[in-house]
Amino acid sequence: RLTKGNREQSEKESIAIAKELIDVALQYFSGIYLITPFMRYDLIVTLVEYIHERLASESSNGVFSTIQT
C-alpha cells in the first residue's frame, strides 16, 4: 500500500484505508468522529458521503435502525 512520492495515489489509498476502518467501526459503534487532516476538508466530505451511503444502504436492509448526522 506504499505510494511514496505520488500525492494523488497516496490520497486515494488514504481514502480507501479510511473507508475500511469506517466499515469496521460501524459494526461496533453508533457514531464516528472525523478530524480534518491539515485543513483538507475535501477528504472529510468524501468520508462523510461514504458514511451516509453506508448507513442508508444498511438501514434499508435492517442493519442500522437510525441515521444520525
Side-chain angles (χ1 to χ4, degrees):
R1 296 187 123 173
L2 183 62
T3 58
K4 188 175 183 178
N6 186 335
R7 182 180 172 106
E8 184 177 324
Q9 187 59 33
S10 294
E11 183 176 309
K12 288 180 182 179
E13 191 61 34
S14 297
I15 293 292
I17 292 169
K19 287 179 178 181
E20 291 174 18
L21 292 169
I22 287 167
D23 290 341
V24 173
L26 288 174
Q27 294 175 20
Y28 298 99
F29 305 103
S30 61
I32 295 175
Y33 185 83
L34 301 173
I35 300 172
T36 304
F38 308 108
M39 306 302 286
R40 295 290 312 273
Y41 297 104
D42 56 315
L43 299 178
I44 295 298
V45 169
T46 299
L47 295 176
V48 169
E49 289 172 347
Y50 177 75
I51 292 167
H52 281 275
E53 290 170 8
R54 277 291 317 275
L55 292 177
S57 69
E58 297 295 334
S59 67
S60 67
N61 294 331
V63 177
F64 296 107
S65 59
T66 61
I67 297 176
Q68 297 180 348
T69 57

